Amino acid sequence: MSSPLPGVQALLFDVFGTVVDWHGSVTKELERVGKQHGIEGDWKEFATTWRRGYLENTRRIAQGGKGPSSVDIMHREILEDILTSEKWKALSDKLTSQARDELNLVWHRLDGWPDSTPGLYNLKKEVIIATLSNGNVRLLVDMAKHADLPWDTIFSAELFGSFKPHSINIARSDLKVYLGAVKHLSLDPQNCAMVAAHVYDLRAAAGVGMRTVYIPRQGEDAGVGEVKSKGEGGDVDVVVQSFEELAKLLAGN
Amino acid sequence: MSSPLPGVQALLFDVFGTVVDWHGSVTKELERVGKQHGIEGDWKEFATTWRRGYLENTRRIAQGGKGPSSVDIMHREILEDILTSEKWKALSDKLTSQARDELNLVWHRLDGWPDSTPGLYNLKKEVIIATLSNGNVRLLVDMAKHADLPWDTIFSAELFGSFKPHSINIARSDLKVYLGAVKHLSLDPQNCAMVAAHVYDLRAAAGVGMRTVYIPRQGEDAGVGEVKSKGEGGDVDVVVQSFEELAKLLAGN
């Protein structure tokens, strides 16, 4: 059987949603903080709103707009913004500036999906594994320590002065991020595969010649429908259900 | 007892000579290649010449001169240059272009000093550990896999478009490398320590406000004499004999 990822020497991973469960982890932390102050609320919705602010900001900046280049700063500004709304006034009244800074760091302590850590350890034996995330370097380093993610190295959009796109309309600036990582690995694009739970990320990576691995994750890619591999009439190279499955597939390369 | 490295959250490591034994590893590979072709030679001197070419090139480029930004390309050009000399003609006649490419990759397969791997695993429990090397990213990734060096992330001068200095005359461009790494860790310089077997590297790091850890390594810093800590009248913050000793020191922080 021919390999579906011939010549692939490195995997570049989207992180938020693909490797870690941002929605579950942020909701849990908000619940904890709410309980601490005796406040009830729809913490799932708070988490979703926070994430939506991030998506809107990175999309705008990837298309040439102005805004913070560090996701830490961006998350902090969005948090401030959410807390000004009448809906979250009770929480806002309780949170000092320092408490907000601490809450903001929840994005550094996201938990991996159950297959993430064992799968990455297996994959690391086969190929180079690295992040390719919009998260800033320090956020990704802290998260790796927290969730035991054994990256060979961390590539962040921050290193390349842009963000990955959040739409399939690829701006030229977006290409810097994918091609920056590929260049620093001394590889051609076809020898790297992007791994993501978001089909727009994979389409952008394919646009610069990279291979693509899709992994469906709960709550991600809402409304996209089933993503299929090329062998099944779709447009990504491989679809897997876990990183462990991907490791088995590459071990057979 | 007060800590000699108060507030240090990250260690940035010089790599060639400090973490890995380049001279021993390159000499061993040259001996192997020589034996394969029935050629004898002073392989230690060959290794030293190869390294000297690298030092001259990075120094020149750090001071604003032209030259390759990837150490892989630089090492390959220097190898070609050495093999044109009459002294190494016998070897040159035997080595195809492909064999030279393979030999050049010996710099990706350098062995750690005996304390490097166990010491880094211990240090990783205490603080962030990262490279800050003139080696290119791919070289450092391959070396980490080869020698089992569990970096949290890899910073390479290549990411910042310059090189670390090889003299204590700091060019402005050199500062980009130190301050680039510090910035991406979201730290102030005094919360990062540079770890090196070369006092010029530490003096440059101290020049931007970083803390400094000196580790004497066989064959490195020839002619420098004994380096002492500030407590003993010298100019570095800490002198250790092994990474394991440094881990014990930080565990007591």
Side-chain angles (χ1 to χ4, degrees), chain A residues 9 72 124 127-128 136-138 141-142 145 151-155 158-160 184-187, chain B residues 9 72 124 127-128 136-138 141-142 145 151-155 158-159 184-187:
Chain A
Q9 296 176 45
D72 271 345
K124 188 172 174 143
V127 291
I128 294 168
N136 48 302
V137 173
R138 177 59 186 269
V141 166
D142 286 348
K145 280 183 174 296
W151 304 120
D152 286 313
T153 194
I154 283 173
F155 289 117
E158 183 196 30
L159 292 168
F160 308 117
H184 288 298
L185 290 173
S186 306
L187 290 172
Chain B
Q9 296 177 44
D72 271 345
K124 188 171 173 143
V127 290
I128 293 169
N136 47 303
V137 173
R138 177 58 185 270
V141 166
D142 286 349
K145 279 183 175 298
W151 304 120
D152 286 312
T153 193
I154 284 172
F155 289 117
E158 182 196 30
L159 291 168
H184 287 298
L185 290 174
S186 307
L187 290 172

mmCIF file of all heavy atoms in Angstrom, chain A residues 9 72 124 127-128 136-138 141-142 145 151-155 158-160 184-187, chain B residues 9 72 124 127-128 136-138 141-142 145 151-155 158-159 184-187:
data_model
loop_
_atom_site.group_PDB
_atom_site.id
_atom_site.type_symbol
_atom_site.label_atom_id
_atom_site.label_comp_id
_atom_site.label_asym_id
_atom_site.label_seq_id
_atom_site.Cartn_x
_atom_site.Cartn_y
_atom_site.Cartn_z
ATOM 1 N N GLN A 9 8.652 14.600 6.512
ATOM 2 C CA GLN A 9 9.654 14.514 7.581
ATOM 3 C C GLN A 9 9.281 15.337 8.808
ATOM 4 O O GLN A 9 9.924 15.238 9.837
ATOM 5 C CB GLN A 9 11.022 15.001 7.066
ATOM 6 C CG GLN A 9 11.602 14.140 5.959
ATOM 7 C CD GLN A 9 12.908 14.732 5.430
ATOM 8 O OE1 GLN A 9 13.768 15.142 6.197
ATOM 9 N NE2 GLN A 9 13.052 14.785 4.111
ATOM 10 N N ASP A 72 -1.245 36.888 23.919
ATOM 11 C CA ASP A 72 -1.443 37.203 25.338
ATOM 12 C C ASP A 72 -2.077 38.575 25.520
ATOM 13 O O ASP A 72 -3.030 38.741 26.281
ATOM 14 C CB ASP A 72 -0.098 37.211 26.080
ATOM 15 C CG ASP A 72 0.259 35.837 26.627
ATOM 16 O OD1 ASP A 72 -0.628 34.966 26.688
ATOM 17 O OD2 ASP A 72 1.436 35.645 26.985
ATOM 18 N N LYS A 124 6.763 11.625 17.699
ATOM 19 C CA LYS A 124 8.114 12.190 17.830
ATOM 20 C C LYS A 124 9.194 11.174 17.456
ATOM 21 O O LYS A 124 10.299 11.556 17.086
ATOM 22 C CB LYS A 124 8.297 12.680 19.276
ATOM 23 C CG LYS A 124 9.585 13.455 19.510
ATOM 24 C CD LYS A 124 9.612 14.088 20.895
ATOM 25 C CE LYS A 124 10.974 14.718 21.138
ATOM 26 N NZ LYS A 124 10.905 15.964 21.895
ATOM 27 N N VAL A 127 8.967 11.375 13.202
ATOM 28 C CA VAL A 127 9.202 12.618 12.447
ATOM 29 C C VAL A 127 9.464 13.770 13.418
ATOM 30 O O VAL A 127 9.365 13.608 14.631
ATOM 31 C CB VAL A 127 7.971 12.993 11.574
ATOM 32 C CG1 VAL A 127 7.793 12.015 10.420
ATOM 33 C CG2 VAL A 127 6.703 13.082 12.420
ATOM 34 N N ILE A 128 9.787 14.932 12.853
ATOM 35 C CA ILE A 128 9.868 16.158 13.647
ATOM 36 C C ILE A 128 8.442 16.627 13.942
ATOM 37 O O ILE A 128 7.613 16.666 13.036
ATOM 38 C CB ILE A 128 10.637 17.254 12.872
ATOM 39 C CG1 ILE A 128 12.105 16.841 12.688
ATOM 40 C CG2 ILE A 128 10.528 18.611 13.571
ATOM 41 C CD1 ILE A 128 12.875 17.708 11.710
ATOM 42 N N ASN A 136 1.410 32.950 21.131
ATOM 43 C CA ASN A 136 2.784 33.441 21.252
ATOM 44 C C ASN A 136 3.679 32.365 21.863
ATOM 45 O O ASN A 136 3.200 31.380 22.429
ATOM 46 C CB ASN A 136 2.841 34.754 22.047
ATOM 47 C CG ASN A 136 2.053 34.725 23.333
ATOM 48 O OD1 ASN A 136 0.855 34.476 23.289
ATOM 49 N ND2 ASN A 136 2.704 34.950 24.454
ATOM 50 N N VAL A 137 4.987 32.539 21.687
ATOM 51 C CA VAL A 137 5.952 31.503 22.074
ATOM 52 C C VAL A 137 5.796 31.133 23.546
ATOM 53 O O VAL A 137 5.706 29.948 23.899
ATOM 54 C CB VAL A 137 7.399 31.967 21.785
ATOM 55 C CG1 VAL A 137 8.408 30.970 22.347
ATOM 56 C CG2 VAL A 137 7.619 32.141 20.278
ATOM 57 N N ARG A 138 5.749 32.131 24.433
ATOM 58 C CA ARG A 138 5.697 31.829 25.858
ATOM 59 C C ARG A 138 4.429 31.058 26.217
ATOM 60 O O ARG A 138 4.467 30.117 27.016
ATOM 61 C CB ARG A 138 5.779 33.131 26.666
ATOM 62 C CG ARG A 138 5.653 32.944 28.169
ATOM 63 C CD ARG A 138 6.751 32.007 28.727
ATOM 64 N NE ARG A 138 6.540 31.725 30.133
ATOM 65 C CZ ARG A 138 7.055 32.447 31.133
ATOM 66 N NH1 ARG A 138 7.837 33.480 30.865
ATOM 67 N NH2 ARG A 138 6.828 32.117 32.380
ATOM 68 N N VAL A 141 5.030 27.498 25.151
ATOM 69 C CA VAL A 141 6.002 26.833 26.034
ATOM 70 C C VAL A 141 5.324 26.431 27.346
ATOM 71 O O VAL A 141 5.440 25.289 27.802
ATOM 72 C CB VAL A 141 7.213 27.755 26.316
ATOM 73 C CG1 VAL A 141 8.041 27.227 27.484
ATOM 74 C CG2 VAL A 141 8.087 27.903 25.071
ATOM 75 N N ASP A 142 4.594 27.367 27.945
ATOM 76 C CA ASP A 142 3.898 27.066 29.204
ATOM 77 C C ASP A 142 2.890 25.933 29.009
ATOM 78 O O ASP A 142 2.770 25.031 29.847
ATOM 79 C CB ASP A 142 3.166 28.312 29.725
ATOM 80 C CG ASP A 142 4.110 29.353 30.314
ATOM 81 O OD1 ASP A 142 5.291 29.040 30.538
ATOM 82 O OD2 ASP A 142 3.652 30.486 30.551
ATOM 83 N N LYS A 145 4.516 22.531 28.827
ATOM 84 C CA LYS A 145 4.909 22.043 30.153
ATOM 85 C C LYS A 145 3.668 21.566 30.921
ATOM 86 O O LYS A 145 3.689 20.524 31.570
ATOM 87 C CB LYS A 145 5.630 23.145 30.940
ATOM 88 C CG LYS A 145 7.118 23.314 30.550
ATOM 89 C CD LYS A 145 7.763 24.373 31.417
ATOM 90 C CE LYS A 145 9.260 24.556 31.240
ATOM 91 N NZ LYS A 145 10.119 23.440 31.582
ATOM 92 N N TRP A 151 7.039 18.740 22.137
ATOM 93 C CA TRP A 151 7.443 19.355 20.860
ATOM 94 C C TRP A 151 8.949 19.311 20.653
ATOM 95 O O TRP A 151 9.716 19.546 21.581
ATOM 96 C CB TRP A 151 6.994 20.822 20.815
ATOM 97 C CG TRP A 151 5.531 21.022 21.033
ATOM 98 C CD1 TRP A 151 4.948 21.742 22.043
ATOM 99 C CD2 TRP A 151 4.452 20.499 20.242
ATOM 100 N NE1 TRP A 151 3.576 21.693 21.926
ATOM 101 C CE2 TRP A 151 3.243 20.937 20.837
ATOM 102 C CE3 TRP A 151 4.390 19.700 19.096
ATOM 103 C CZ2 TRP A 151 1.989 20.609 20.318
ATOM 104 C CZ3 TRP A 151 3.139 19.361 18.591
ATOM 105 C CH2 TRP A 151 1.964 19.818 19.187
ATOM 106 N N ASP A 152 9.368 19.071 19.414
ATOM 107 C CA ASP A 152 10.787 19.229 19.060
ATOM 108 C C ASP A 152 11.157 20.703 19.029
ATOM 109 O O ASP A 152 12.269 21.071 19.396
ATOM 110 C CB ASP A 152 11.072 18.572 17.704
ATOM 111 C CG ASP A 152 11.081 17.051 17.807
ATOM 112 O OD1 ASP A 152 11.730 16.531 18.730
ATOM 113 O OD2 ASP A 152 10.427 16.392 16.982
ATOM 114 N N THR A 153 10.252 21.512 18.551
ATOM 115 C CA THR A 153 10.426 22.960 18.688
ATOM 116 C C THR A 153 9.072 23.642 18.547
ATOM 117 O O THR A 153 8.083 23.000 18.171
ATOM 118 C CB THR A 153 11.444 23.548 17.699
ATOM 119 O OG1 THR A 153 11.768 24.886 18.132
ATOM 120 C CG2 THR A 153 10.917 23.580 16.271
ATOM 121 N N ILE A 154 9.064 24.920 18.852
ATOM 122 C CA ILE A 154 7.825 25.693 18.826
ATOM 123 C C ILE A 154 7.942 26.781 17.767
ATOM 124 O O ILE A 154 8.831 27.623 17.836
ATOM 125 C CB ILE A 154 7.562 26.273 20.235
ATOM 126 C CG1 ILE A 154 7.023 25.135 21.125
ATOM 127 C CG2 ILE A 154 6.603 27.462 20.180
ATOM 128 C CD1 ILE A 154 6.877 25.467 22.565
ATOM 129 N N PHE A 155 7.061 26.697 16.776
ATOM 130 C CA PHE A 155 6.938 27.800 15.828
ATOM 131 C C PHE A 155 5.649 28.529 16.163
ATOM 132 O O PHE A 155 4.593 27.910 16.317
ATOM 133 C CB PHE A 155 6.864 27.307 14.380
ATOM 134 C CG PHE A 155 8.150 26.753 13.845
ATOM 135 C CD1 PHE A 155 8.243 25.423 13.460
ATOM 136 C CD2 PHE A 155 9.277 27.555 13.720
ATOM 137 C CE1 PHE A 155 9.433 24.910 12.956
ATOM 138 C CE2 PHE A 155 10.471 27.050 13.219
ATOM 139 C CZ PHE A 155 10.547 25.725 12.842
ATOM 140 N N GLU A 158 3.982 34.585 15.873
ATOM 141 C CA GLU A 158 4.691 35.734 16.461
ATOM 142 C C GLU A 158 6.110 35.849 15.921
ATOM 143 O O GLU A 158 6.638 36.955 15.739
ATOM 144 C CB GLU A 158 4.706 35.549 17.984
ATOM 145 C CG GLU A 158 5.335 36.668 18.787
ATOM 146 C CD GLU A 158 5.668 36.230 20.222
ATOM 147 O OE1 GLU A 158 5.958 35.038 20.467
ATOM 148 O OE2 GLU A 158 5.665 37.096 21.105
ATOM 149 N N LEU A 159 6.760 34.711 15.682
ATOM 150 C CA LEU A 159 8.140 34.728 15.164
ATOM 151 C C LEU A 159 8.207 35.291 13.754
ATOM 152 O O LEU A 159 9.263 35.732 13.301
ATOM 153 C CB LEU A 159 8.740 33.308 15.158
ATOM 154 C CG LEU A 159 9.021 32.667 16.524
ATOM 155 C CD1 LEU A 159 9.332 31.180 16.347
ATOM 156 C CD2 LEU A 159 10.193 33.357 17.212
ATOM 157 N N PHE A 160 7.090 35.210 13.034
ATOM 158 C CA PHE A 160 7.084 35.616 11.632
ATOM 159 C C PHE A 160 6.315 36.924 11.405
ATOM 160 O O PHE A 160 6.120 37.349 10.267
ATOM 161 C CB PHE A 160 6.511 34.485 10.769
ATOM 162 C CG PHE A 160 7.191 33.164 11.017
ATOM 163 C CD1 PHE A 160 6.493 32.081 11.534
ATOM 164 C CD2 PHE A 160 8.551 33.011 10.760
ATOM 165 C CE1 PHE A 160 7.122 30.866 11.794
ATOM 166 C CE2 PHE A 160 9.188 31.805 11.010
ATOM 167 C CZ PHE A 160 8.478 30.730 11.525
ATOM 168 N N HIS A 184 12.690 27.162 8.005
ATOM 169 C CA HIS A 184 13.568 26.929 9.158
ATOM 170 C C HIS A 184 13.770 25.443 9.439
ATOM 171 O O HIS A 184 14.696 25.071 10.142
ATOM 172 C CB HIS A 184 13.043 27.665 10.394
ATOM 173 C CG HIS A 184 13.237 29.153 10.303
ATOM 174 N ND1 HIS A 184 14.498 29.717 10.222
ATOM 175 C CD2 HIS A 184 12.369 30.170 10.241
ATOM 176 C CE1 HIS A 184 14.370 31.026 10.131
ATOM 177 N NE2 HIS A 184 13.099 31.332 10.130
ATOM 178 N N LEU A 185 12.920 24.596 8.873
ATOM 179 C CA LEU A 185 13.145 23.151 8.987
ATOM 180 C C LEU A 185 13.994 22.636 7.822
ATOM 181 O O LEU A 185 14.245 21.433 7.714
ATOM 182 C CB LEU A 185 11.808 22.412 9.044
ATOM 183 C CG LEU A 185 11.030 22.635 10.345
ATOM 184 C CD1 LEU A 185 9.645 21.999 10.249
ATOM 185 C CD2 LEU A 185 11.796 22.071 11.545
ATOM 186 N N SER A 186 14.448 23.546 6.960
ATOM 187 C CA SER A 186 15.279 23.184 5.797
ATOM 188 C C SER A 186 14.591 22.122 4.944
ATOM 189 O O SER A 186 15.233 21.182 4.461
ATOM 190 C CB SER A 186 16.663 22.689 6.233
ATOM 191 O OG SER A 186 17.299 23.617 7.077
ATOM 192 N N LEU A 187 13.288 22.269 4.776
ATOM 193 C CA LEU A 187 12.516 21.302 3.980
ATOM 194 C C LEU A 187 11.790 22.022 2.845
ATOM 195 O O LEU A 187 11.611 23.244 2.881
ATOM 196 C CB LEU A 187 11.482 20.599 4.860
ATOM 197 C CG LEU A 187 12.039 19.617 5.903
ATOM 198 C CD1 LEU A 187 10.924 19.144 6.838
ATOM 199 C CD2 LEU A 187 12.716 18.416 5.235
ATOM 200 N N GLN B 9 13.629 32.652 35.419
ATOM 201 C CA GLN B 9 12.573 31.712 34.991
ATOM 202 C C GLN B 9 12.951 30.930 33.744
ATOM 203 O O GLN B 9 12.256 29.997 33.358
ATOM 204 C CB GLN B 9 11.283 32.489 34.703
ATOM 205 C CG GLN B 9 10.698 33.177 35.931
ATOM 206 C CD GLN B 9 9.453 33.979 35.562
ATOM 207 O OE1 GLN B 9 8.589 33.521 34.815
ATOM 208 N NE2 GLN B 9 9.360 35.189 36.068
ATOM 209 N N ASP B 72 24.316 25.679 8.296
ATOM 210 C CA ASP B 72 24.475 24.515 7.419
ATOM 211 C C ASP B 72 25.205 24.897 6.135
ATOM 212 O O ASP B 72 26.120 24.211 5.691
ATOM 213 C CB ASP B 72 23.097 23.939 7.025
ATOM 214 C CG ASP B 72 22.612 22.900 8.013
ATOM 215 O OD1 ASP B 72 23.423 22.419 8.829
ATOM 216 O OD2 ASP B 72 21.415 22.571 7.957
ATOM 217 N N LYS B 124 14.773 21.142 33.374
ATOM 218 C CA LYS B 124 13.462 21.359 32.746
ATOM 219 C C LYS B 124 12.325 21.341 33.773
ATOM 220 O O LYS B 124 11.260 21.912 33.542
ATOM 221 C CB LYS B 124 13.247 20.282 31.675
ATOM 222 C CG LYS B 124 12.023 20.491 30.819
ATOM 223 C CD LYS B 124 11.985 19.522 29.651
ATOM 224 C CE LYS B 124 10.661 19.651 28.919
ATOM 225 N NZ LYS B 124 10.798 19.514 27.474
ATOM 226 N N VAL B 127 12.776 25.252 35.433
ATOM 227 C CA VAL B 127 12.656 26.480 34.631
ATOM 228 C C VAL B 127 12.433 26.116 33.159
ATOM 229 O O VAL B 127 12.469 24.940 32.794
ATOM 230 C CB VAL B 127 13.954 27.342 34.721
ATOM 231 C CG1 VAL B 127 14.128 27.956 36.112
ATOM 232 C CG2 VAL B 127 15.175 26.529 34.321
ATOM 233 N N ILE B 128 12.234 27.135 32.340
ATOM 234 C CA ILE B 128 12.200 26.946 30.885
ATOM 235 C C ILE B 128 13.634 26.775 30.398
ATOM 236 O O ILE B 128 14.517 27.544 30.789
ATOM 237 C CB ILE B 128 11.553 28.171 30.203
ATOM 238 C CG1 ILE B 128 10.065 28.270 30.584
ATOM 239 C CG2 ILE B 128 11.731 28.112 28.682
ATOM 240 C CD1 ILE B 128 9.418 29.582 30.182
ATOM 241 N N ASN B 136 21.517 26.694 12.916
ATOM 242 C CA ASN B 136 20.185 26.902 12.361
ATOM 243 C C ASN B 136 19.186 25.964 13.028
ATOM 244 O O ASN B 136 19.546 24.995 13.679
ATOM 245 C CB ASN B 136 20.168 26.755 10.829
ATOM 246 C CG ASN B 136 20.902 25.532 10.341
ATOM 247 O OD1 ASN B 136 22.087 25.366 10.629
ATOM 248 N ND2 ASN B 136 20.225 24.659 9.626
ATOM 249 N N VAL B 137 17.897 26.300 12.887
ATOM 250 C CA VAL B 137 16.835 25.584 13.610
ATOM 251 C C VAL B 137 16.895 24.078 13.316
ATOM 252 O O VAL B 137 16.891 23.257 14.237
ATOM 253 C CB VAL B 137 15.442 26.142 13.246
ATOM 254 C CG1 VAL B 137 14.342 25.295 13.856
ATOM 255 C CG2 VAL B 137 15.312 27.591 13.718
ATOM 256 N N ARG B 138 16.972 23.703 12.040
ATOM 257 C CA ARG B 138 16.942 22.283 11.698
ATOM 258 C C ARG B 138 18.124 21.546 12.307
ATOM 259 O O ARG B 138 17.996 20.415 12.800
ATOM 260 C CB ARG B 138 16.922 22.103 10.174
ATOM 261 C CG ARG B 138 16.958 20.648 9.706
ATOM 262 C CD ARG B 138 15.780 19.837 10.269
ATOM 263 N NE ARG B 138 15.884 18.440 9.926
ATOM 264 C CZ ARG B 138 15.367 17.896 8.806
ATOM 265 N NH1 ARG B 138 14.683 18.634 7.961
ATOM 266 N NH2 ARG B 138 15.519 16.606 8.572
ATOM 267 N N VAL B 141 17.329 21.039 15.933
ATOM 268 C CA VAL B 141 16.269 20.032 16.109
ATOM 269 C C VAL B 141 16.858 18.627 15.942
ATOM 270 O O VAL B 141 16.630 17.736 16.764
ATOM 271 C CB VAL B 141 15.116 20.258 15.098
ATOM 272 C CG1 VAL B 141 14.191 19.049 15.030
ATOM 273 C CG2 VAL B 141 14.313 21.503 15.461
ATOM 274 N N ASP B 142 17.623 18.431 14.881
ATOM 275 C CA ASP B 142 18.232 17.113 14.641
ATOM 276 C C ASP B 142 19.167 16.733 15.791
ATOM 277 O O ASP B 142 19.189 15.586 16.243
ATOM 278 C CB ASP B 142 19.032 17.118 13.334
ATOM 279 C CG ASP B 142 18.145 17.104 12.097
ATOM 280 O OD1 ASP B 142 16.926 16.872 12.238
ATOM 281 O OD2 ASP B 142 18.674 17.318 10.989
ATOM 282 N N LYS B 145 17.305 15.572 18.868
ATOM 283 C CA LYS B 145 16.811 14.194 18.727
ATOM 284 C C LYS B 145 17.979 13.207 18.877
ATOM 285 O O LYS B 145 17.851 12.180 19.543
ATOM 286 C CB LYS B 145 16.136 14.003 17.366
ATOM 287 C CG LYS B 145 14.692 14.523 17.310
ATOM 288 C CD LYS B 145 14.088 14.222 15.954
ATOM 289 C CE LYS B 145 12.631 14.570 15.794
ATOM 290 N NZ LYS B 145 11.649 13.912 16.629
ATOM 291 N N TRP B 151 14.812 20.175 25.045
ATOM 292 C CA TRP B 151 14.519 21.621 25.028
ATOM 293 C C TRP B 151 13.023 21.899 25.088
ATOM 294 O O TRP B 151 12.235 21.222 24.430
ATOM 295 C CB TRP B 151 15.079 22.255 23.749
ATOM 296 C CG TRP B 151 16.537 22.040 23.541
ATOM 297 C CD1 TRP B 151 17.127 21.402 22.473
ATOM 298 C CD2 TRP B 151 17.614 22.458 24.407
ATOM 299 N NE1 TRP B 151 18.492 21.397 22.638
ATOM 300 C CE2 TRP B 151 18.819 22.023 23.804
ATOM 301 C CE3 TRP B 151 17.672 23.135 25.616
ATOM 302 C CZ2 TRP B 151 20.069 22.258 24.380
ATOM 303 C CZ3 TRP B 151 18.907 23.360 26.191
ATOM 304 C CH2 TRP B 151 20.089 22.937 25.576
ATOM 305 N N ASP B 152 12.647 22.946 25.805
ATOM 306 C CA ASP B 152 11.266 23.433 25.753
ATOM 307 C C ASP B 152 11.001 24.117 24.420
ATOM 308 O O ASP B 152 9.908 24.027 23.878
ATOM 309 C CB ASP B 152 10.996 24.399 26.914
ATOM 310 C CG ASP B 152 10.867 23.671 28.238
ATOM 311 O OD1 ASP B 152 10.140 22.671 28.298
ATOM 312 O OD2 ASP B 152 11.519 24.092 29.210
ATOM 313 N N THR B 153 11.987 24.833 23.934
ATOM 314 C CA THR B 153 11.919 25.326 22.559
ATOM 315 C C THR B 153 13.319 25.653 22.072
ATOM 316 O O THR B 153 14.271 25.647 22.854
ATOM 317 C CB THR B 153 10.989 26.545 22.401
ATOM 318 O OG1 THR B 153 10.745 26.757 20.993
ATOM 319 C CG2 THR B 153 11.583 27.823 22.998
ATOM 320 N N ILE B 154 13.408 25.916 20.781
ATOM 321 C CA ILE B 154 14.698 26.181 20.160
ATOM 322 C C ILE B 154 14.712 27.608 19.628
ATOM 323 O O ILE B 154 13.883 27.970 18.787
ATOM 324 C CB ILE B 154 14.949 25.138 19.049
ATOM 325 C CG1 ILE B 154 15.347 23.817 19.713
ATOM 326 C CG2 ILE B 154 15.992 25.618 18.039
ATOM 327 C CD1 ILE B 154 15.459 22.644 18.805
ATOM 328 N N PHE B 155 15.621 28.402 20.160
ATOM 329 C CA PHE B 155 15.874 29.715 19.575
ATOM 330 C C PHE B 155 17.200 29.634 18.827
ATOM 331 O O PHE B 155 18.198 29.136 19.367
ATOM 332 C CB PHE B 155 15.980 30.808 20.646
ATOM 333 C CG PHE B 155 14.689 31.146 21.319
ATOM 334 C CD1 PHE B 155 14.523 30.932 22.672
ATOM 335 C CD2 PHE B 155 13.633 31.696 20.589
ATOM 336 C CE1 PHE B 155 13.326 31.255 23.304
ATOM 337 C CE2 PHE B 155 12.433 32.023 21.215
ATOM 338 C CZ PHE B 155 12.279 31.799 22.574
ATOM 339 N N GLU B 158 19.315 32.335 13.572
ATOM 340 C CA GLU B 158 18.672 32.354 12.256
ATOM 341 C C GLU B 158 17.279 32.979 12.305
ATOM 342 O O GLU B 158 16.859 33.664 11.358
ATOM 343 C CB GLU B 158 18.577 30.902 11.758
ATOM 344 C CG GLU B 158 17.984 30.704 10.390
ATOM 345 C CD GLU B 158 17.572 29.234 10.132
ATOM 346 O OE1 GLU B 158 17.204 28.513 11.101
ATOM 347 O OE2 GLU B 158 17.611 28.821 8.975
ATOM 348 N N LEU B 159 16.567 32.775 13.412
ATOM 349 C CA LEU B 159 15.222 33.341 13.549
ATOM 350 C C LEU B 159 15.251 34.859 13.648
ATOM 351 O O LEU B 159 14.258 35.529 13.384
ATOM 352 C CB LEU B 159 14.524 32.788 14.804
ATOM 353 C CG LEU B 159 14.131 31.309 14.791
ATOM 354 C CD1 LEU B 159 13.728 30.861 16.188
ATOM 355 C CD2 LEU B 159 12.990 31.059 13.814
ATOM 356 N N HIS B 184 10.484 36.900 23.242
ATOM 357 C CA HIS B 184 9.527 35.831 22.909
ATOM 358 C C HIS B 184 9.199 34.970 24.125
ATOM 359 O O HIS B 184 8.213 34.234 24.112
ATOM 360 C CB HIS B 184 10.042 34.988 21.746
ATOM 361 C CG HIS B 184 9.965 35.724 20.434
ATOM 362 N ND1 HIS B 184 8.763 36.144 19.910
ATOM 363 C CD2 HIS B 184 10.917 36.141 19.573
ATOM 364 C CE1 HIS B 184 8.987 36.780 18.773
ATOM 365 N NE2 HIS B 184 10.280 36.808 18.544
ATOM 366 N N LEU B 185 10.008 35.048 25.167
ATOM 367 C CA LEU B 185 9.668 34.357 26.416
ATOM 368 C C LEU B 185 8.833 35.257 27.341
ATOM 369 O O LEU B 185 8.509 34.863 28.466
ATOM 370 C CB LEU B 185 10.944 33.893 27.127
ATOM 371 C CG LEU B 185 11.674 32.751 26.404
ATOM 372 C CD1 LEU B 185 13.004 32.455 27.086
ATOM 373 C CD2 LEU B 185 10.815 31.487 26.375
ATOM 374 N N SER B 186 8.488 36.449 26.857
ATOM 375 C CA SER B 186 7.691 37.412 27.653
ATOM 376 C C SER B 186 8.332 37.684 29.010
ATOM 377 O O SER B 186 7.643 37.770 30.033
ATOM 378 C CB SER B 186 6.249 36.910 27.857
ATOM 379 O OG SER B 186 5.656 36.578 26.629
ATOM 380 N N LEU B 187 9.660 37.784 29.016
ATOM 381 C CA LEU B 187 10.394 38.041 30.263
ATOM 382 C C LEU B 187 11.218 39.307 30.133
ATOM 383 O O LEU B 187 11.471 39.797 29.027
ATOM 384 C CB LEU B 187 11.328 36.867 30.574
ATOM 385 C CG LEU B 187 10.654 35.551 30.990
ATOM 386 C CD1 LEU B 187 11.683 34.432 31.064
ATOM 387 C CD2 LEU B 187 9.940 35.708 32.338
#
